[in-house]
Amino acid sequence: GEFVDLALQDTAPPATDFDEDTEIGRSLRMTAHMIAAHAALGAKRQVFFVQMGGFDTHDRQRQLQPQLLGWLD
């Protein structure tokens, strides 16, 4: 909501380089930014859940798994 948006605006984004072209990269970047904004959010305990699908590869695993693991790395 608006409270979170304001807290994030007042907190520098993480310096870590996340792959903005992948969903997991964007999710991890937002998580790092939320952790950095913990004081502005008044959070004493933070729990985050990020997920990355696509590993249920019944076929083409040899082609897909290296790409998936690369995104996760």
Side-chain angles (χ1 to χ4, degrees):
E2 188 175 331
F3 176 73
V4 172
D5 291 340
L6 290 173
L8 291 176
Q9 286 176 358
D10 291 341
T11 305
T16 305
D17 184 27
F18 292 97
D19 186 352
E20 296 289 327
D21 293 332
T22 64
E23 183 178 345
I24 190 71
R26 290 186 299 273
S27 295
L28 291 172
R29 184 179 195 289
M30 177 56 79
T31 300
H33 202 169
M34 295 282 290
I35 291 169
H38 76 280
L41 293 168
K44 294 182 182 179
R45 180 178 299 157
Q46 295 175 293
V47 177
F48 298 95
F49 175 79
V50 295
Q51 66 182 9
M52 180 180 163
F55 285 94
D56 190 11
T57 56
H58 295 284
D59 60 351
R60 297 184 38 227
Q61 185 172 22
R62 190 178 297 227
Q63 293 82 20
L64 295 175
Q65 193 170 22
Q67 181 181 25
L68 291 165
L69 292 173
W71 289 340
L72 184 60
D73 182 43

